[in-house]
Amino acid sequence: MVMPWPFPDENPFLSIGDEPEPESEDLRLAALVAQRLSIDWTTRRQQITITVQNRVVILAGMVADLEVRRVAGDLAWDVPGVFDVCNALRLHGQRRGR
């Protein structure tokens, strides 16, 4: 009798539905970060776009000052499951470098 050897990434003890899909995990993290930013009084009225790719949160948009930018990054880091945060928020009136 020959038993097949599983690939290293396969776990025969887990059913297919047990592991979260990467896309659904990214959507869940994006929703949690958006909720945190909308609740906090510092970031709630700012123009912030949230994108999550492979558990990396990308914050983009325009904010009022450096304090708001820092708080937004800190709030994103505080969400459980976030692997990294790319804080690409810019200040109103700030020009892009050439």
Side-chain angles (χ1 to χ4, degrees), residues 17-53:
D18 287 347
E19 296 181 18
E21 293 293 321
E23 296 85 20
S24 64
E25 179 66 12
D26 288 347
L27 289 173
R28 185 185 74 80
L29 290 174
L32 289 173
V33 171
Q35 181 182 27
R36 292 257 176 117
L37 294 179
S38 67
I39 290 173
D40 191 271
W41 66 273
T42 308
T43 56
R44 88 169 42 141
R45 298 194 190 272
Q46 303 299 315
Q47 299 173 1
I48 300 174
T49 303
I50 302 158
T51 309
V52 180
Q53 295 177 344

